[in-house]
Amino acid sequence: YGNFIDDLRLYVRGGTGGMGYPRLGGEGGRGGDVWFVAQERTTLKSIKQGYPQKRFVAGTGANSSVKALKGEKGKDCEVHVPPGISVLCDDGKQIGELNAAGDRFLAARGGLGGSLATNFMPCKGQRRIVLLDLKLIADVGLVGFPNAGKSSLLSTISHAKPEIANYAFTTIQPELGKIMYEDYKQILVADLPGLIEGAHANKGMGHKFLKHVERTRQLLLVVDISGFQLSTKTQFRTAFQTILLLTKELELYKQELLTKPALLALNKMDLPCAKDNLKELKKQLQNPQDFVHLLQEEMIPANIPEFKNIIPISTYTGEGIEELKACIRKSIDEEADQENEEYRKKKLLLLRTSE
């Protein structure tokens, strides 16, 4: 997975409380807390490099004294993490999420200071091992089998410079790029490592790839119009079969992924026979049930996807690229309008119920 880190185990411990003062009934200060705070331009790699021991311990509470019967609270420890983090316990149970810059999560609470209730003895802070699991947040996620041209497409529509070559696994880590529009609107696109058949069962890059699809608002399936074959040992798949297999992988990993709005980009339209393949594919997508027998039964998805737009493109000649950018923009804007309308309806409903 290269230098990209998308999960990290940390040890966190809240501070111990301060000693109480029995003679005057003084109360020790509470131990400091450990907080995770989401911050832009932070990476899990920078945390690992900055804190190689991966231990975060908050400050101890001040002891109670004649001068200060109520001891001061210990210093909090703040760990800056990138947005898009899920916080998991050591047993894999999710205990928190940080989705936007400024979000905070209490990772370990400080112990109580010594008081009458504790016989003036301080309590130790909470301690645990947590896993930070990063899922990239992007407007659009590029989904496709290796060598479909996702990296080329990302470099064509945005300012990203991913590695591009003519072998299957070019992308071994997620790449982010921004589509810039004339009215200064920006749309974030993520090119994610290539799926292979069986990715839902963690084959190839499996879950390393699929978990990043969860946080994208929309999907853009990128398919080679001439079909796909991973190697000489694997079976050749037509463009139609490729679409069904991609859908099946998403469905087996997490059914909810297929509720996201989806676009379809048919790449490599500059190749010979591309127009004939396109004609055939459109016929198959209009009546998919007549052609699903081309795949084995266990590879057929429960629901055939309905694409908002199907755009033939060529990253080599530039054909269809502007149309694709316009379709992405329209689809994102429509979704935003829908969300605003739903929010407005909820507000109106709340006002009516309160009246």
Side-chain angles (χ1 to χ4, degrees):
Y1 218 44
N3 292 322
F4 184 78
I5 296 174
D6 59 4
D7 52 48
L8 193 64
R9 288 167 73 86
L10 303 176
Y11 171 81
V12 290
R13 193 181 86 209
T16 306
M19 290 287 290
Y21 196 59
R23 197 154 56 90
L24 298 173
E27 195 176 309
R30 244 191 69 193
D33 304 318
V34 180
W35 291 87
F36 293 143
V37 184
Q39 189 179 62
E40 296 287 357
R41 295 182 182 174
T42 305
T43 62
L44 293 183
K45 187 180 178 183
S46 64
I47 298 172
K48 191 179 178 183
Q49 287 175 337
Y51 304 91
Q53 291 183 323
K54 296 182 280 184
R55 286 171 59 89
F56 295 91
V57 181
T60 305
N63 295 334
S64 172
S65 65
V66 176
K67 290 180 181 177
L69 287 176
K70 174 76 175 170
E72 280 191 20
K73 184 176 184 279
K75 191 180 178 185
D76 286 349
C77 171
E78 287 196 352
V79 186
H80 292 131
V81 299
I85 286 286
S86 296
V87 186
L88 310 174
C89 274
D90 209 22
D91 60 2
K93 185 184 171 188
Q94 185 171 315
I95 52 174
E97 273 190 333
L98 297 107
N99 290 326
D103 285 359
R104 296 170 67 85
F105 173 75
L106 180 59
R109 193 180 290 280
L112 293 171
S115 64
L116 186 63
T118 63
N119 202 22
F120 298 100
M121 295 301 290
C123 300
K124 289 184 176 179
Q126 187 182 13
R127 63 179 73 195
R128 58 183 169 190
I129 290 169
V130 293
L131 176 72
L132 300 184
D133 190 33
L134 175 68
K135 294 172 187 171
L136 289 177
I137 299 174
D139 297 307
V140 180
L142 302 184
V143 179
F145 284 136
N147 225 12
K150 299 191 306 300
S151 298
S152 303
L153 178 59
L154 186 70
S155 65
T156 307
I157 62 176
S158 75
H159 297 287
K161 292 182 173 63
E163 185 185 343
I164 298 162
N166 61 355
Y167 53 86
F169 286 104
T170 311
T171 307
I172 55 166
Q173 63 184 49
E175 292 276 356
L176 285 172
K178 277 183 184 172
I179 308 177
M180 311 285 278
Y181 292 89
E182 286 181 5
D183 61 352
Y184 303 107
K185 167 86 172 176
Q186 297 179 10
I187 289 177
L188 197 60
V189 181
D191 169 25
L192 304 154
L195 276 166
I196 61 167
E197 286 178 44
H200 70 277
N202 219 7
K203 283 187 184 174
M205 299 211 170
H207 296 173
K208 279 263 187 195
F209 159 80
L210 285 162
K211 71 173 188 179
H212 292 296
V213 183
E214 291 179 48
R215 293 276 173 93
T216 56
R217 292 170 63 188
Q218 302 200 355
L219 304 179
L220 174 59
L221 269 69
V222 185
V223 172
D224 186 335
I225 192 64
S226 56
F228 166 70
Q229 188 173 20
L230 185 63
S231 71
T232 50
K233 293 176 185 176
T234 59
Q235 201 174 333
F236 173 80
R237 304 293 187 189
T238 64
F240 178 68
Q241 289 173 323
T242 304
I243 292 165
L244 295 187
L245 285 167
L246 282 170
T247 308
K248 187 68 177 175
E249 289 303 329
L250 295 173
E251 181 187 281
L252 288 170
Y253 176 70
K254 199 168 268 190
Q255 192 98 29
E256 300 90 81
L257 294 179
L258 297 177
T259 61
K260 294 177 185 285
L263 303 172
L264 175 62
L266 300 168
N267 195 18
K268 306 190 183 180
M269 285 302 296
D270 53 285
L271 295 176
C273 303
K275 289 198 166 42
D276 293 338
N277 290 339
L278 177 63
K279 199 174 171 183
E280 178 69 17
L281 178 62
K282 282 187 172 175
K283 191 169 77 176
Q284 290 169 328
L285 287 173
Q286 277 171 354
N287 300 295
Q289 296 304 335
D290 298 344
F291 299 94
V292 289
H293 64 272
L294 297 170
L295 279 174
Q296 293 161 301
E297 198 174 330
E298 66 272 14
M299 292 179 173
I300 300 167
N303 296 302
I304 313 296
E306 286 185 22
F307 298 104
K308 293 182 84 173
N309 293 95
I310 298 172
I311 311 104
I313 63 164
S314 168
T315 53
Y316 182 70
T317 63
E319 177 194 338
I321 296 297
E322 289 306 314
E323 186 193 344
L324 177 62
K325 285 164 75 172
C327 286
I328 292 171
R329 171 72 186 267
K330 188 183 173 200
S331 183
I332 291 287
D333 287 349
E334 280 174 358
E335 192 192 356
D337 291 343
Q338 196 177 332
E339 282 174 5
N340 290 338
E341 184 62 26
E342 283 171 11
Y343 178 75
R344 196 178 66 81
K345 282 178 181 173
K346 277 182 187 173
K347 280 283 187 187
L348 277 170
L349 194 66
L350 282 167
L351 280 168
R352 282 173 189 160
T353 50
S354 62
E355 283 169 6

XYZ file of all heavy atoms in Angstrom, residues 14 89 149 190 192:
27
model
N -5.863 8.479 30.276
C -6.210 9.714 30.985
C -5.285 9.912 32.173
O -4.744 8.941 32.717
N -12.551 0.323 19.216
C -11.942 -0.328 20.388
C -11.034 -1.452 19.914
O -11.047 -1.827 18.754
C -13.034 -0.946 21.260
S -13.728 0.216 22.411
N -8.315 2.742 -16.715
C -7.976 4.122 -17.070
C -8.397 5.136 -16.029
O -8.562 6.312 -16.323
N -11.795 10.924 -5.844
C -10.820 9.962 -5.313
C -10.670 8.798 -6.281
O -11.651 8.166 -6.658
C -11.278 9.449 -3.949
N -9.352 5.211 -6.439
C -9.078 4.223 -5.408
C -8.450 2.970 -6.013
O -8.725 2.639 -7.164
C -10.387 3.889 -4.689
C -11.054 5.168 -4.120
C -12.537 4.997 -4.000
C -10.448 5.556 -2.803
